[in-house]
Amino acid sequence: MGTHIDDLVRLLDDHDLRDAVLLGHSYGGLPITGAANRRPERVGDLVYLDALVPEHGQSCADVLGPGFVAAAAAAMTRANTPHSIPWLFTPDDLLGPGSPLAGEVAERMTAHPAGTLHDPVDADRIRARRHYVYCTGSASLGLTGGFAAAARDSAAWRYSELDAPHDAPHACPDQVAQVVARISSR
C-alpha cells in the first residue's frame, strides 16, 4: 500500500500539481485516500469510481471484511502464490456477461500484491471534496454498494451513478472521462 501511495505522492510533487483530481477505481480508492491525506494541499477532489473507501486507520482487509480475506487466502493457497492474490472475479463479473472485451481483459489480468491487504491507510487530514460514482451494473460483486449508499446519504459527499459494470474504465472509457471532466470543471 505504501508503494502505491508513494507513487501518487511523487506524481503530485514532481509535477507540482495543485487542486488535483485523483480518481481511484475499485482498490484504487485506498491509495488515493492515502495520497490525499499525505498531500492535502495538493488534492482538490477525490473521485471514488465504484471504489473502496477506507476510514482513517483501516486496511483493505478491514474494508473488505473477513469473508473476502478468507477467500483471498484460500485462492493464494490453491495457486501456491503466498505473496499475490489470484483474481477472485471473472471478466464476466467485472464487465457483465458476454462482453466483447472479456478476452482482452482476461489476458491482462494479473495477481494483486497480498501485502496491500493489511497496511492501514491514514485519512485524518483530507481536505478534498469527495465524490462517489457508483457503477449500477456492479451490484452482483457486492463490494461497493455499501460505500455508494453511505456517500449517497451523506451531505459531505457528492454522489452520482454510471450505468456501467464495475470495470467501467474498460467497458465505457468515454463515459468515465465525461464524469471526470464534469467533476474537474466545478
Side-chain angles (χ1 to χ4, degrees), residues 38-142:
R38 287 202 19 217
R39 294 295 185 271
E41 72 283 0
R42 292 188 179 275
V43 180
D45 293 274
L46 289 172
V47 181
Y48 295 83
L49 176 62
D50 217 36
L52 307 177
V53 182
E55 293 180 19
H56 178 64
Q58 283 189 317
S59 68
C60 190
D62 295 329
V63 170
L64 291 171
F68 184 91
V69 173
M76 291 166 58
T77 298
R78 281 192 306 276
N80 194 27
T81 56
H83 302 293
S84 59
I85 305 166
W87 275 92
L88 302 176
F89 304 102
T90 68
D92 281 350
D93 295 330
L94 302 173
L95 295 162
S99 170
L101 298 171
E104 175 187 337
V105 168
E107 287 177 18
R108 293 180 178 196
M109 292 171 96
T110 60
H112 186 87
T116 63
L117 268 182
H118 299 288
D119 292 342
V121 175
D122 290 326
D124 58 340
R125 298 178 54 223
I126 294 174
R127 298 190 308 235
R129 293 170 295 274
R130 293 188 188 203
H131 309 262
Y132 199 94
V133 181
Y134 183 50
C135 293
T136 58
S138 300
S140 63
L141 284 181

